[in-house]
Coordinates of all heavy atoms in Angstrom, one line a residue:
M31 N -24.2 10.7 15.8 CA -23.1 9.8 15.8 C -22.9 9.1 14.4 O -21.9 8.6 14.1 CB -23.2 8.7 16.9 CG -23.1 9.2 18.3 SD -21.4 9.5 18.7 CE -21.5 10.3 20.2
A32 N -24.0 9.0 13.7 CA -24.0 8.3 12.4 C -23.0 9.0 11.5 O -22.9 10.2 11.4 CB -25.3 8.2 11.8
G33 N -22.2 8.2 10.7 CA -21.3 8.8 9.8 C -19.9 9.1 10.4 O -19.0 9.4 9.7
Q34 N -19.8 9.0 11.7 CA -18.5 9.2 12.4 C -17.8 7.8 12.5 O -18.4 6.8 12.7 CB -18.7 9.8 13.7 CG -19.2 11.2 13.7 CD -19.3 11.8 15.1 OE1 -19.1 11.2 16.1 NE2 -19.6 13.1 15.1
I35 N -16.5 7.9 12.4 CA -15.7 6.7 12.5 C -15.2 6.6 13.9 O -14.6 7.6 14.5 CB -14.5 6.7 11.5 CG1 -15.0 6.8 10.1 CG2 -13.6 5.5 11.6 CD1 -13.9 7.0 9.0
S36 N -15.3 5.4 14.5 CA -14.8 5.2 15.9 C -13.3 5.3 15.9 O -12.6 5.2 14.9 CB -15.3 3.9 16.4 OG -14.6 2.8 15.8
E37 N -12.8 5.6 17.1 CA -11.4 5.7 17.3 C -10.7 4.4 17.0 O -9.6 4.4 16.3 CB -11.1 6.1 18.8 CG -9.6 6.3 19.0 CD -9.3 6.8 20.4 OE1 -10.2 7.3 21.1 OE2 -8.1 6.8 20.8
A38 N -11.3 3.3 17.3 CA -10.7 1.9 17.0 C -10.6 1.8 15.5 O -9.6 1.2 15.0 CB -11.5 0.8 17.6
D39 N -11.7 2.2 14.7 CA -11.6 2.1 13.3 C -10.6 3.0 12.7 O -9.9 2.7 11.7 CB -13.0 2.4 12.7 CG -14.0 1.3 12.9 OD1 -13.6 0.1 13.2 OD2 -15.2 1.5 12.9
Q40 N -10.4 4.2 13.3 CA -9.4 5.1 12.8 C -8.0 4.5 13.0 O -7.2 4.6 12.1 CB -9.5 6.5 13.5 CG -10.7 7.3 13.1 CD -10.8 8.6 13.9 OE1 -10.1 8.8 14.9 NE2 -11.6 9.5 13.4
I41 N -7.8 3.9 14.1 CA -6.5 3.3 14.4 C -6.3 2.1 13.4 O -5.2 2.0 12.9 CB -6.4 2.8 15.9 CG1 -6.4 4.0 16.8 CG2 -5.2 1.9 16.1 CD1 -6.5 3.7 18.2
K42 N -7.3 1.3 13.2 CA -7.2 0.2 12.2 C -6.8 0.7 10.8 O -6.0 0.2 10.1 CB -8.5 -0.6 12.2 CG -8.4 -1.8 11.3 CD -9.8 -2.5 11.3 CE -9.7 -3.6 10.3 NZ -11.0 -4.3 10.1
Q43 N -7.5 1.8 10.4 CA -7.3 2.3 9.1 C -5.9 2.9 9.0 O -5.2 2.7 7.9 CB -8.3 3.5 8.7 CG -9.6 3.0 8.4 CD -10.6 4.1 8.1 OE1 -10.3 5.3 8.3 NE2 -11.7 3.8 7.5
F44 N -5.4 3.5 10.0 CA -4.1 4.1 10.0 C -3.0 3.0 10.0 O -2.0 3.1 9.3 CB -3.8 5.0 11.2 CG -2.6 5.8 11.2 CD1 -2.3 6.7 10.2 CD2 -1.6 5.5 12.1 CE1 -1.1 7.4 10.2 CE2 -0.4 6.2 12.1 CZ -0.1 7.2 11.1
K45 N -3.2 1.9 10.7 CA -2.3 0.8 10.7 C -2.3 0.2 9.3 O -1.2 -0.2 8.8 CB -2.7 -0.3 11.7 CG -2.4 0.1 13.1 CD -2.8 -1.0 14.1 CE -2.4 -0.6 15.5 NZ -2.8 -1.7 16.5
E46 N -3.4 0.0 8.7 CA -3.5 -0.5 7.3 C -2.7 0.4 6.3 O -2.0 -0.1 5.5 CB -4.9 -0.7 6.8 CG -5.6 -1.8 7.5 CD -7.1 -1.9 7.2 OE1 -7.6 -1.1 6.4 OE2 -7.8 -2.8 7.8
F47 N -2.9 1.7 6.5 CA -2.2 2.7 5.6 C -0.7 2.5 5.8 O 0.1 2.5 4.9 CB -2.6 4.1 6.0 CG -1.7 5.1 5.4 CD1 -1.8 5.5 4.1 CD2 -0.8 5.8 6.2 CE1 -0.9 6.4 3.5 CE2 0.1 6.7 5.7 CZ 0.0 7.1 4.3
L48 N -0.2 2.5 7.1 CA 1.2 2.4 7.4 C 1.8 1.0 6.8 O 2.9 1.0 6.3 CB 1.5 2.4 8.9 CG 1.4 3.8 9.5 CD1 1.6 3.8 11.0 CD2 2.3 4.8 8.8
G49 N 1.0 0.0 6.9 CA 1.4 -1.3 6.4 C 1.6 -1.2 4.9 O 2.6 -1.7 4.3
T50 N 0.6 -0.6 4.2 CA 0.7 -0.5 2.8 C 1.9 0.4 2.4 O 2.7 0.1 1.4 CB -0.6 0.1 2.2 OG1 -1.7 -0.7 2.6 CG2 -0.6 0.3 0.7
Y51 N 2.0 1.6 3.1 CA 3.1 2.5 2.8 C 4.5 1.8 3.0 O 5.4 1.9 2.1 CB 3.0 3.7 3.7 CG 4.2 4.7 3.6 CD1 4.2 5.6 2.6 CD2 5.2 4.6 4.5 CE1 5.3 6.5 2.5 CE2 6.3 5.5 4.4 CZ 6.3 6.4 3.4 OH 7.4 7.3 3.3
N52 N 4.6 1.1 4.1 CA 5.9 0.4 4.3 C 6.2 -0.7 3.3 O 7.3 -0.8 2.9 CB 5.9 -0.2 5.7 CG 6.0 0.8 6.8 OD1 6.5 1.9 6.6 ND2 5.5 0.5 8.0
K53 N 5.2 -1.4 2.9 CA 5.4 -2.5 1.9 C 5.8 -1.8 0.5 O 6.7 -2.3 -0.2 CB 4.1 -3.3 1.7 CG 4.3 -4.5 0.9 CD 5.3 -5.5 1.5 CE 5.3 -6.8 0.6 NZ 6.4 -7.7 1.1
L54 N 5.1 -0.8 0.2 CA 5.4 -0.1 -1.1 C 6.8 0.5 -1.0 O 7.6 0.3 -2.0 CB 4.4 1.1 -1.3 CG 4.7 2.0 -2.5 CD1 4.7 1.2 -3.8 CD2 3.7 3.1 -2.5
T55 N 7.2 1.1 0.1 CA 8.5 1.7 0.2 C 9.6 0.6 0.1 O 10.6 0.7 -0.6 CB 8.7 2.4 1.6 OG1 7.7 3.4 1.7 CG2 10.0 3.0 1.8
E56 N 9.4 -0.5 0.8 CA 10.3 -1.7 0.7 C 10.4 -2.2 -0.7 O 11.6 -2.4 -1.2 CB 9.9 -2.8 1.7 CG 10.8 -4.0 1.7 CD 10.3 -5.1 2.6 OE1 9.2 -4.9 3.2 OE2 11.0 -6.1 2.7
N57 N 9.3 -2.4 -1.4 CA 9.4 -3.0 -2.7 C 10.1 -2.1 -3.7 O 10.9 -2.5 -4.5 CB 8.0 -3.3 -3.2 CG 7.3 -4.5 -2.6 OD1 8.0 -5.3 -2.0 ND2 6.0 -4.6 -2.7
C58 N 9.8 -0.8 -3.6 CA 10.4 0.2 -4.6 C 11.9 0.3 -4.2 O 12.7 0.4 -5.1 CB 9.7 1.5 -4.5 SG 8.0 1.5 -5.2
F59 N 12.2 0.3 -2.9 CA 13.6 0.4 -2.6 C 14.4 -0.8 -3.1 O 15.5 -0.6 -3.7 CB 13.7 0.5 -1.0 CG 15.2 0.6 -0.6 CD1 15.8 1.9 -0.5 CD2 15.9 -0.5 -0.2 CE1 17.1 2.0 0.0 CE2 17.2 -0.4 0.3 CZ 17.8 0.9 0.4
L60 N 13.9 -2.0 -2.9 CA 14.6 -3.2 -3.3 C 14.7 -3.2 -4.8 O 15.7 -3.7 -5.4 CB 13.9 -4.4 -2.8 CG 13.9 -4.6 -1.3 CD1 13.1 -5.8 -0.9 CD2 15.4 -4.8 -0.8
D61 N 13.7 -2.7 -5.5 CA 13.8 -2.7 -7.0 C 14.7 -1.6 -7.6 O 15.3 -1.8 -8.6 CB 12.4 -2.5 -7.6 CG 11.5 -3.7 -7.5 OD1 12.0 -4.8 -7.1 OD2 10.3 -3.6 -7.6
C62 N 14.8 -0.5 -6.9 CA 15.4 0.7 -7.5 C 16.8 1.0 -7.0 O 17.6 1.6 -7.7 CB 14.5 1.9 -7.3 SG 12.9 1.7 -8.1
V63 N 17.1 0.8 -5.7 CA 18.4 1.2 -5.1 C 19.3 0.0 -5.2 O 19.1 -1.1 -4.7 CB 18.2 1.6 -3.7 CG1 19.5 2.0 -3.1 CG2 17.2 2.8 -3.6
K64 N 20.4 0.2 -6.0 CA 21.4 -0.8 -6.3 C 22.8 -0.4 -5.9 O 23.6 -1.3 -5.7 CB 21.4 -1.2 -7.8 CG 20.1 -1.6 -8.3 CD 19.6 -2.9 -7.7 CE 18.3 -3.3 -8.4 NZ 17.6 -4.2 -7.6
D65 N 23.0 0.9 -5.7 CA 24.4 1.4 -5.5 C 24.4 2.0 -4.1 O 23.8 3.0 -3.8 CB 24.8 2.4 -6.5 CG 26.2 3.0 -6.3 OD1 27.0 2.3 -5.6 OD2 26.5 4.0 -6.9
F66 N 25.2 1.4 -3.2 CA 25.3 1.9 -1.8 C 26.7 2.5 -1.6 O 27.1 2.7 -0.4 CB 25.1 0.7 -0.8 CG 23.7 0.2 -0.8 CD1 23.4 -0.9 -1.6 CD2 22.7 0.8 -0.2 CE1 22.1 -1.4 -1.6 CE2 21.4 0.4 -0.2 CZ 21.1 -0.7 -0.9
T67 N 27.4 2.9 -2.6 CA 28.7 3.5 -2.5 C 28.7 5.0 -2.3 O 29.7 5.6 -2.1 CB 29.6 3.2 -3.7 OG1 29.0 3.7 -4.9 CG2 29.8 1.7 -3.9
S68 N 27.5 5.6 -2.4 CA 27.3 7.0 -2.2 C 26.2 7.3 -1.3 O 25.2 6.6 -1.3 CB 27.1 7.6 -3.6 OG 26.7 9.0 -3.5
R69 N 26.2 8.5 -0.7 CA 25.1 8.9 0.2 C 24.0 9.6 -0.7 O 22.9 9.7 -0.2 CB 25.6 9.9 1.2 CG 26.4 9.3 2.3 CD 26.9 10.3 3.3 NE 27.5 9.7 4.4 CZ 27.3 10.0 5.7 NH1 26.5 11.0 5.9 NH2 27.9 9.4 6.6
E70 N 24.4 10.0 -1.8 CA 23.5 10.7 -2.7 C 22.6 9.7 -3.4 O 23.0 8.6 -3.8 CB 24.2 11.6 -3.7 CG 25.1 12.6 -3.1 CD 24.4 13.6 -2.3 OE1 23.3 14.1 -2.8 OE2 24.9 14.0 -1.2
V71 N 21.3 10.2 -3.7 CA 20.4 9.4 -4.5 C 20.7 9.7 -5.9 O 20.7 10.8 -6.4 CB 18.9 9.7 -4.1 CG1 18.0 8.9 -5.0 CG2 18.6 9.4 -2.7
R72 N 21.0 8.7 -6.7 CA 21.3 8.8 -8.1 C 20.1 9.2 -8.9 O 19.0 8.7 -8.5 CB 22.0 7.6 -8.7 CG 23.3 7.3 -8.0 CD 24.0 6.0 -8.4 NE 23.9 5.8 -9.8 CZ 23.8 4.5 -10.3 NH1 23.8 3.5 -9.6 NH2 23.7 4.4 -11.6
P73 N 20.2 9.9 -10.0 CA 19.0 10.2 -10.8 C 18.3 9.0 -11.3 O 17.0 9.0 -11.4 CB 19.6 11.0 -12.0 CG 20.9 11.6 -11.5 CD 21.4 10.6 -10.5
E74 N 19.0 7.9 -11.6 CA 18.3 6.7 -12.1 C 17.5 6.1 -11.0 O 16.4 5.6 -11.2 CB 19.4 5.7 -12.6 CG 20.3 6.1 -13.7 CD 21.4 7.0 -13.2 OE1 21.8 6.9 -12.1 OE2 22.0 7.7 -14.1
E75 N 18.0 6.1 -9.8 CA 17.2 5.6 -8.6 C 16.0 6.4 -8.4 O 14.9 5.9 -8.1 CB 18.1 5.6 -7.4 CG 19.3 4.6 -7.5 CD 20.3 4.7 -6.4 OE1 20.4 5.8 -5.8 OE2 21.0 3.7 -6.1
M76 N 16.1 7.7 -8.5 CA 15.0 8.6 -8.3 C 13.9 8.4 -9.3 O 12.7 8.3 -9.0 CB 15.4 10.1 -8.3 CG 14.3 11.1 -8.0 SD 13.7 10.9 -6.3 CE 15.0 11.6 -5.3
A77 N 14.3 8.3 -10.6 CA 13.4 8.0 -11.7 C 12.7 6.7 -11.5 O 11.5 6.5 -11.7 CB 14.1 8.1 -13.0
C78 N 13.5 5.7 -11.1 CA 12.9 4.3 -10.8 C 11.9 4.4 -9.7 O 10.8 3.8 -9.8 CB 14.0 3.3 -10.5 SG 13.5 1.7 -10.1
S79 N 12.2 5.0 -8.6 CA 11.3 5.1 -7.5 C 10.0 5.9 -7.9 O 8.9 5.5 -7.5 CB 11.9 5.7 -6.3 OG 12.3 7.0 -6.5
D80 N 10.2 6.9 -8.6 CA 9.0 7.7 -9.1 C 8.1 6.8 -10.0 O 6.9 6.8 -9.8 CB 9.4 8.9 -9.9 CG 9.9 10.0 -9.0 OD1 9.7 10.0 -7.8 OD2 10.6 10.9 -9.6
H81 N 8.7 6.1 -10.9 CA 8.0 5.1 -11.8 C 7.3 4.0 -10.9 O 6.1 3.7 -11.2 CB 8.9 4.5 -12.8 CG 8.3 3.5 -13.7 ND1 7.4 3.9 -14.7 CD2 8.3 2.2 -13.7 CE1 7.0 2.8 -15.3 NE2 7.5 1.8 -14.7
C82 N 8.0 3.5 -10.0 CA 7.4 2.5 -9.1 C 6.2 3.0 -8.4 O 5.2 2.3 -8.3 CB 8.5 2.0 -8.1 SG 8.0 0.7 -7.0
L83 N 6.3 4.2 -7.8 CA 5.1 4.7 -7.1 C 4.0 5.0 -8.0 O 2.8 4.7 -7.7 CB 5.5 6.0 -6.4 CG 4.4 6.8 -5.7 CD1 3.8 5.9 -4.6 CD2 4.9 8.1 -5.2
Q84 N 4.2 5.6 -9.2 CA 3.2 5.9 -10.2 C 2.5 4.6 -10.6 O 1.3 4.5 -10.8 CB 3.7 6.6 -11.4 CG 4.1 8.0 -11.1 CD 3.0 8.9 -10.6 OE1 1.9 8.8 -11.0 NE2 3.3 9.7 -9.6
K85 N 3.3 3.5 -10.9 CA 2.7 2.2 -11.3 C 1.8 1.7 -10.2 O 0.7 1.2 -10.5 CB 3.8 1.3 -11.6 CG 3.4 0.0 -12.2 CD 4.6 -0.8 -12.6 CE 4.2 -2.1 -13.3 NZ 5.4 -2.9 -13.8
Y86 N 2.2 1.8 -8.9 CA 1.4 1.3 -7.8 C 0.1 2.1 -7.7 O -1.0 1.5 -7.6 CB 2.2 1.4 -6.5 CG 1.3 1.0 -5.3 CD1 1.1 -0.3 -5.0 CD2 0.7 2.0 -4.6 CE1 0.3 -0.6 -3.9 CE2 -0.1 1.7 -3.5 CZ -0.3 0.4 -3.2 OH -1.1 0.0 -2.1
L87 N 0.2 3.4 -7.8 CA -1.0 4.2 -7.7 C -2.0 3.9 -8.9 O -3.2 3.8 -8.6 CB -0.7 5.7 -7.7 CG 0.1 6.2 -6.5 CD1 0.5 7.6 -6.7 CD2 -0.7 6.0 -5.2
K88 N -1.5 3.7 -10.1 CA -2.4 3.4 -11.2 C -3.0 2.0 -11.0 O -4.2 1.8 -11.3 CB -1.6 3.5 -12.5 CG -1.3 4.9 -13.0 CD -0.5 4.9 -14.3 CE -0.1 6.3 -14.6 NZ 0.7 6.3 -15.9
M89 N -2.2 1.1 -10.5 CA -2.7 -0.3 -10.3 C -3.8 -0.2 -9.2 O -4.9 -0.8 -9.4 CB -1.6 -1.2 -9.9 CG -2.0 -2.6 -9.7 SD -2.0 -3.3 -8.0 CE -1.0 -2.3 -7.0
T90 N -3.6 0.5 -8.2 CA -4.6 0.6 -7.1 C -5.9 1.3 -7.6 O -7.0 0.8 -7.3 CB -4.0 1.4 -5.9 OG1 -2.8 0.8 -5.5 CG2 -5.0 1.5 -4.8
Q91 N -5.7 2.3 -8.4 CA -6.9 3.0 -9.0 C -7.7 2.0 -9.9 O -8.9 2.0 -9.8 CB -6.5 4.2 -9.7 CG -7.6 5.0 -10.3 CD -7.2 6.2 -11.1 OE1 -6.0 6.2 -11.6 NE2 -8.0 7.2 -11.2
R92 N -7.0 1.3 -10.7 CA -7.6 0.3 -11.6 C -8.4 -0.8 -10.9 O -9.5 -1.1 -11.2 CB -6.6 -0.3 -12.6 CG -7.2 -1.2 -13.6 CD -6.1 -1.6 -14.6 NE -6.7 -2.6 -15.5 CZ -7.0 -2.4 -16.8 NH1 -6.8 -1.1 -17.3 NH2 -7.5 -3.3 -17.5
I93 N -7.8 -1.3 -9.8 CA -8.4 -2.3 -9.0 C -9.7 -1.8 -8.4 O -10.7 -2.4 -8.4 CB -7.4 -2.9 -8.0 CG1 -6.4 -3.7 -8.6 CG2 -8.2 -3.7 -6.9 CD1 -5.2 -4.2 -7.7
S94 N -9.6 -0.5 -7.9 CA -10.8 0.1 -7.2 C -11.9 0.3 -8.2 O -13.1 0.0 -7.9 CB -10.4 1.4 -6.6 OG -9.5 1.3 -5.6
M95 N -11.6 0.7 -9.4 CA -12.6 0.9 -10.5 C -13.3 -0.5 -10.8 O -14.5 -0.6 -10.9 CB -12.0 1.5 -11.7 CG -11.6 3.0 -11.5 SD -10.7 3.7 -12.9 CE -11.7 3.2 -14.3
R96 N -12.5 -1.5 -11.0 CA -13.0 -2.8 -11.3 C -13.8 -3.4 -10.2 O -14.9 -4.0 -10.4 CB -11.9 -3.8 -11.7 CG -11.1 -3.5 -12.9 CD -12.0 -3.5 -14.1 NE -11.2 -3.1 -15.3 CZ -11.4 -2.0 -16.0 NH1 -12.4 -1.2 -15.6 NH2 -10.7 -1.7 -17.0
F97 N -13.4 -3.1 -9.0 CA -14.2 -3.6 -7.8 C -15.5 -2.9 -7.8 O -16.5 -3.5 -7.5 CB -13.4 -3.3 -6.5 CG -13.9 -3.8 -5.3 CD1 -13.9 -5.2 -5.0 CD2 -14.5 -3.0 -4.3 CE1 -14.4 -5.7 -3.9 CE2 -15.0 -3.5 -3.2 CZ -14.9 -4.9 -2.9
Q98 N -15.6 -1.6 -8.1 CA -16.8 -0.9 -8.1 C -17.7 -1.4 -9.2 O -18.9 -1.6 -9.0 CB -16.6 0.6 -8.3 CG -16.0 1.3 -7.0 CD -15.6 2.7 -7.3 OE1 -15.7 3.2 -8.4 NE2 -15.2 3.4 -6.3
E99 N -17.2 -1.6 -10.4 CA -17.9 -2.1 -11.5 C -18.5 -3.5 -11.2 O -19.7 -3.8 -11.5 CB -17.1 -2.3 -12.8 CG -16.7 -1.0 -13.4 CD -15.6 -1.1 -14.5 OE1 -15.2 -2.3 -14.8 OE2 -15.2 -0.1 -15.0
Y100 N -17.7 -4.3 -10.5 CA -18.2 -5.7 -10.1 C -19.4 -5.5 -9.2 O -20.4 -6.2 -9.3 CB -17.1 -6.5 -9.5 CG -17.5 -7.8 -8.9 CD1 -17.8 -8.9 -9.7 CD2 -17.7 -7.9 -7.5 CE1 -18.2 -10.1 -9.1 CE2 -18.1 -9.1 -7.0 CZ -18.4 -10.2 -7.8 OH -18.8 -11.3 -7.2
H101 N -19.3 -4.7 -8.2 CA -20.4 -4.5 -7.2 C -21.6 -3.9 -7.9 O -22.8 -4.3 -7.5 CB -19.9 -3.7 -6.0 CG -19.2 -4.5 -5.0 ND1 -19.8 -5.4 -4.2 CD2 -17.9 -4.6 -4.7 CE1 -18.9 -6.0 -3.4 NE2 -17.7 -5.5 -3.8
I102 N -21.5 -3.0 -8.8 CA -22.6 -2.5 -9.5 C -23.3 -3.6 -10.3 O -24.6 -3.7 -10.3 CB -22.2 -1.3 -10.5 CG1 -21.8 -0.1 -9.6 CG2 -23.3 -1.0 -11.5 CD1 -21.2 1.0 -10.5
Q103 N -22.5 -4.4 -11.0 CA -23.1 -5.6 -11.7 C -23.8 -6.5 -10.8 O -24.9 -7.0 -11.1 CB -22.1 -6.3 -12.5 CG -21.5 -5.5 -13.7 CD -20.3 -6.2 -14.3 OE1 -19.8 -7.2 -13.8 NE2 -19.9 -5.7 -15.5
Q104 N -23.2 -6.8 -9.6 CA -23.9 -7.7 -8.7 C -25.2 -7.1 -8.1 O -26.2 -7.9 -8.0 CB -22.9 -8.0 -7.5 CG -21.7 -8.8 -8.0 CD -22.0 -10.2 -8.5 OE1 -22.9 -10.9 -8.0 NE2 -21.5 -10.5 -9.7
N105 N -25.2 -5.8 -7.8 CA -26.4 -5.2 -7.3 C -27.5 -5.2 -8.4 O -28.6 -5.4 -8.1 CB -26.1 -3.8 -6.9 CG -25.3 -3.8 -5.6 OD1 -25.3 -4.7 -4.8 ND2 -24.6 -2.6 -5.3
E106 N -27.1 -4.9 -9.6 CA -28.1 -5.0 -10.7 C -28.7 -6.4 -10.9 O -29.9 -6.6 -11.1 CB -27.5 -4.5 -12.0 CG -27.3 -3.0 -12.0 CD -26.6 -2.5 -13.3 OE1 -26.1 -3.3 -14.1 OE2 -26.5 -1.2 -13.5
A107 N -27.8 -7.4 -10.8 CA -28.2 -8.8 -11.0 C -29.2 -9.1 -9.8 O -30.2 -9.8 -10.1 CB -27.1 -9.7 -11.0
L108 N -28.9 -8.7 -8.6 CA -29.7 -9.0 -7.5 C -31.1 -8.3 -7.6 O -32.1 -8.9 -7.3 CB -29.1 -8.6 -6.2 CG -27.9 -9.5 -5.7 CD1 -27.2 -8.9 -4.5 CD2 -28.4 -10.9 -5.4
A109 N -31.0 -7.1 -8.1 CA -32.3 -6.3 -8.3 C -33.1 -6.9 -9.3 O -34.4 -7.0 -9.2 CB -32.0 -4.8 -8.6
A110 N -32.5 -7.4 -10.4 CA -33.2 -8.0 -11.5 C -33.8 -9.3 -11.0 O -35.0 -9.7 -11.4 CB -32.3 -8.2 -12.7
K111 N -33.1 -10.0 -10.2 CA -33.6 -11.3 -9.7 C -34.8 -11.1 -8.8 O -35.7 -11.9 -8.8 CB -32.4 -12.0 -9.0 CG -32.6 -13.4 -8.7 CD -31.4 -14.0 -8.1 CE -31.3 -15.5 -8.3 NZ -30.1 -16.1 -7.7
A112 N -34.7 -10.0 -8.1 CA -35.8 -9.7 -7.2 C -37.0 -9.0 -7.9 O -38.0 -8.8 -7.3 CB -35.3 -8.8 -6.0
G113 N -36.8 -8.8 -9.2 CA -37.9 -8.2 -9.9 C -38.0 -6.7 -9.8 O -39.0 -6.1 -10.2
L114 N -37.0 -6.0 -9.3 CA -37.0 -4.6 -9.1 C -36.6 -3.8 -10.4 O -37.0 -2.7 -10.6 CB -36.0 -4.2 -8.0 CG -36.4 -4.7 -6.6 CD1 -35.3 -4.3 -5.6 CD2 -37.7 -4.2 -6.2
L115 N -35.9 -4.5 -11.4 CA -35.6 -3.9 -12.6 C -36.3 -4.7 -13.7 O -36.5 -5.9 -13.6 CB -34.1 -3.9 -12.9 CG -33.2 -3.1 -12.0 CD1 -31.7 -3.3 -12.3 CD2 -33.6 -1.6 -12.1
S116 N -36.7 -4.0 -14.8 CA -37.3 -4.7 -15.9 C -36.4 -5.6 -16.6 O -36.7 -6.7 -17.0 CB -38.0 -3.6 -16.8 OG -37.0 -2.8 -17.3
Q117 N -35.2 -5.1 -16.9 CA -34.1 -5.9 -17.6 C -32.8 -5.4 -17.1 O -32.5 -4.2 -17.0 CB -34.2 -5.7 -19.1 CG -35.4 -6.2 -19.7 CD -35.3 -6.0 -21.2 OE1 -34.4 -5.5 -21.8 NE2 -36.4 -6.5 -21.9
P118 N -31.9 -6.4 -16.9 CA -30.5 -6.0 -16.5 C -29.8 -5.5 -17.7 O -30.1 -5.8 -18.8 CB -29.9 -7.3 -16.0 CG -30.7 -8.4 -16.6 CD -32.1 -7.8 -16.8
R119 N -28.8 -4.6 -17.4 CA -28.0 -4.0 -18.5 C -27.1 -4.9 -19.1 O -26.4 -5.7 -18.7 CB -27.3 -2.8 -18.0 CG -28.2 -1.7 -17.6 CD -27.4 -0.5 -17.1 NE -28.3 0.4 -16.3 CZ -27.9 1.5 -15.8 NH1 -26.7 1.9 -15.9 NH2 -28.7 2.2 -15.1

């Protein structure tokens, strides 16, 4: 059973994903779609939405990297404090 995600956790993760997706969609739509006189998506709107999504993905990746770096530093500091490392980096 170890390593398996419970059904409740899967549902929670899916709800979080949907919340993030919906918020991203809403933000990019509000920023990019300005003309409601046509049913067609204008090239400018498509480019804007692509840029919006790419910016969000890059931001999310950068935050994840910084979060990992922070935790590595914290773990090294704790290990050094406990005397497990000779010197912190």
Side-chain angles (χ1 to χ4, degrees):
M31 292 281 171
Q34 292 183 352
I35 300 174
S36 72
E37 185 175 343
D39 287 338
Q40 288 178 346
I41 291 170
K42 181 181 175 186
Q43 284 180 347
F44 188 66
K45 284 181 180 180
E46 289 173 1
F47 165 77
L48 286 178
T50 301
Y51 175 82
N52 288 336
K53 187 67 174 170
L54 174 62
T55 302
E56 179 181 1
N57 287 340
C58 291
F59 180 85
L60 292 174
D61 287 346
C62 297
V63 179
K64 303 295 182 199
D65 181 15
F66 293 97
T67 60
S68 171
R69 289 180 172 224
E70 301 298 319
V71 177
R72 295 176 41 211
E74 300 83 21
E75 294 170 337
M76 185 63 74
C78 178
S79 63
D80 287 344
H81 178 73
C82 183
L83 175 61
Q84 291 301 320
K85 188 174 184 178
Y86 174 80
L87 293 174
K88 287 179 183 178
M89 183 250 338
T90 303
Q91 182 181 27
R92 185 175 174 104
I93 289 172
S94 294
M95 288 172 49
R96 296 297 177 246
F97 188 71
Q98 289 174 355
E99 289 172 1
Y100 172 78
H101 278 286
I102 289 170
Q103 289 173 349
Q104 292 300 313
N105 288 340
E106 288 176 349
L108 287 173
K111 199 173 198 180
L114 298 175
L115 292 177
S116 58
Q117 292 182 1
R119 293 182 197 182

